[in-house]
Amino acid sequence: MVSVIIPAYNVEGYIQRAIESLQRQTFEDFELLVVDDGSTDRTGDVVRQLARHDLRIVDFHCQNGGAPAARNLALDHACGKYVYFMDADDWAEPNMLTDMVDMAESSALELVVAGFYIDTYYGKDGHHTTEVKSRPTHIYATQQEFRAAAWQLFDQNLLYTPWNKLFLRQRIERLGIRFKPTFWDDFPFVLDYIRDVERVGVTERAYYHFIRQRSESETSKWRPDMYAKREEEHGWMLDLYHHWGLDGDAASMEMVQRRYIERLVGCIQNVCDPKCTYTTQRKHELIRQMISSDRAQLAVNVARPRSRMMQAMLLPIKQKNVQLAYREGKFISFVKSHDTKLFATLKANR
């Protein structure tokens, strides 16, 4: 009934927990396709050992080609009616597949969107903060109802990643959707899927535990091309809402512009990251480019931040104050690298 797909690269300390959380599912009619993406540690050995004792596990081993290629390889071999994606360093609650399949089957849905947990670990003793992302349970009666309400799902980070969703595999194949060869490949896949989706359901229950712990994970790296990526993503969002005929909808556009400007703050922080190799002068030049653009100024004037903290953080952008934006970026980087708990708390309450 369900093909669960996990790309795995150098996650020997996490992959067993992920797989065992699936083996504990109350829903048993699934296949688990794990792609060892050329790991140089014992990831492949762990997967092989678990596969020997569970016929539902199909393990693939290939040269390192990145998570998009690994997911696509598994998709090419998937047999289930539905597809569920999981990251190798995360885990899921036991009733996840049962509840999501029941919702999909009872309402003939093309997409089920569930809540999820963000578990941010700090220190070495297992302490962590937990943030829950969810929206009230609802089956959208029409495509237009889903589109009009999608801004609320985006606002709770529920429409970005593939791992809190159950996809109809027939629809994936009919549209020819695959993961694009880029970092942060999951968002464009989801956008391709939801662009003309018709039957969508949301469950307020959270099942998936997204773990923030590994310093080498894709979401925690300094990236020299982050700003370009965020610009591209913003273009995708504008195009999506234009396609939906909602580029004049006030609530939707406020979300889109607030999303952009909040991520622009992240780009400023990225430039100020201790691992960034640019000179101070180059950092200032990049920040000036970011905050002075027409796109940034439009966004900062349309966005309505939800907290006083975020209102204050946007002031350097609104004022086009490079020095103040640089100091802000340095401060955020300091907090991020020295107090993970505080950083996670501030981010959750932005």
Side-chain angles (χ1 to χ4, degrees):
M1 183 65 80
V2 182
S3 294
V4 182
I5 292 174
I6 300 181
Y9 176 70
N10 285 358
V11 283
E12 63 178 357
Y14 305 90
I15 186 64
Q16 182 166 340
R17 177 182 63 184
I19 293 176
E20 288 180 347
S21 76
L22 292 167
Q23 291 174 316
R24 288 193 294 268
Q25 292 293 305
T26 56
F27 185 88
E28 298 183 346
D29 185 14
F30 68 88
E31 61 174 356
L32 173 55
L33 311 177
V34 185
V35 182
D36 173 24
D37 187 30
S39 297
T40 58
D41 64 2
R42 293 189 61 259
T43 295
D45 295 334
V46 174
V47 175
R48 274 188 290 268
Q49 181 64 29
L50 291 169
R52 289 192 187 102
H53 302 284
D54 192 336
L55 295 178
R56 296 173 299 179
I57 302 175
V58 183
D59 59 316
F60 299 88
H61 302 272
C62 57
Q63 291 185 343
N64 180 248
R71 291 190 180 103
N72 290 340
L73 172 65
L75 272 175
D76 291 342
H77 290 82
C79 300
K81 180 177 181 179
Y82 300 101
V83 175
Y84 185 87
F85 297 98
M86 186 171 184
D87 285 352
D89 48 359
D90 299 333
W91 62 280
E93 298 285 345
N95 56 333
M96 179 184 72
L97 292 179
T98 293
D99 292 354
M100 294 181 80
V101 170
D102 284 350
M103 175 175 270
E105 290 287 289
S106 62
S107 299
L109 300 178
E110 297 173 315
L111 178 67
V112 176
V113 181
F116 63 90
Y117 302 95
I118 301 176
D119 296 338
T120 303
Y121 285 78
Y122 56 93
K124 298 181 179 180
D125 49 7
H127 290 304
H128 64 278
T129 63
T130 296
E131 178 186 358
V132 183
K133 295 289 188 181
S134 70
R135 287 288 301 171
T137 298
H138 186 72
I139 304 295
Y140 296 99
T142 64
Q143 182 185 70
Q144 191 55 38
E145 184 191 2
F146 164 69
R147 291 177 173 182
W151 71 268
Q152 297 171 320
L153 302 177
F154 276 119
D155 234 8
Q156 283 294 307
N157 291 332
L158 296 176
L159 284 184
Y160 296 112
T161 60
W163 36 248
N164 65 318
K165 300 171 180 64
L166 194 69
F167 299 90
L168 186 65
R169 189 173 67 86
Q170 182 184 54
R171 175 176 166 76
I172 293 175
E173 297 305 324
R174 176 164 48 84
L175 296 176
I177 300 174
R178 288 296 187 268
F179 289 85
K180 294 176 171 60
T182 179
F183 72 92
W184 296 343
D185 57 295
D186 42 10
F187 186 33
F189 179 90
V190 174
L191 286 182
D192 286 344
Y193 193 89
I194 69 172
R195 187 175 180 89
D196 292 303
V197 71
E198 295 185 7
R199 300 187 301 277
V200 181
V202 175
T203 173
E204 65 189 3
R205 302 181 71 175
Y207 308 101
Y208 190 87
H209 290 260
F210 170 62
I211 307 300
R212 284 180 177 154
Q213 184 173 25
R214 298 192 301 133
S215 60
E216 71 273 19
S217 69
E218 287 295 319
T219 56
S220 62
K221 292 179 179 179
W222 167 65
R223 306 212 71 112
D225 48 358
M226 179 184 287
Y227 176 61
K229 187 66 176 181
R230 293 306 192 193
E231 288 290 297
E232 183 181 36
E233 288 181 350
H234 189 54
W236 293 339
M237 289 290 287
L238 293 173
D239 175 71
L240 177 69
Y241 272 89
H242 178 72
H243 177 74
W244 284 353
L246 291 172
D247 42 6
D249 180 69
S252 297
M253 284 301 99
E254 190 279 330
M255 178 279 299
V256 170
Q257 299 296 350
R258 175 162 41 82
R259 175 190 183 279
Y260 172 76
I261 207 67
E262 288 178 352
R263 281 154 179 77
L264 191 66
V265 172
C267 291
I268 295 171
Q269 180 274 317
N270 181 66
V271 167
C272 299
D273 189 282
K275 296 179 181 178
C276 178
T277 57
Y278 299 143
T279 64
T280 300
Q281 180 180 355
R282 178 59 177 157
K283 293 177 181 180
H284 286 177
E285 291 173 355
L286 290 172
I287 292 173
R288 181 177 293 106
Q289 174 189 348
M290 294 177 196
I291 68 178
S292 300
S293 71
D294 291 342
R295 180 176 274 188
Q297 289 302 307
L298 172 63
V300 80
N301 283 290
V302 172
R304 297 292 177 264
R306 303 303 173 86
S307 69
R308 291 184 177 180
M309 177 191 71
M310 203 65 212
Q311 291 173 4
M313 292 179 71
L314 296 186
L315 283 177
I317 301 175
K318 185 171 289 190
Q319 298 170 358
K320 300 183 183 180
N321 190 322
V322 176
Q323 289 289 343
L324 188 58
Y326 175 72
R327 288 197 291 270
E328 181 179 285
K330 293 279 284 184
F331 173 74
I332 298 172
S333 288
F334 178 84
V335 174
K336 183 178 181 180
S337 59
H338 288 81
D339 194 330
T340 304
K341 180 181 180 181
L342 176 60
F343 179 77
T345 301
L346 294 175
K347 188 172 183 179
N349 292 286
R350 69 180 187 272

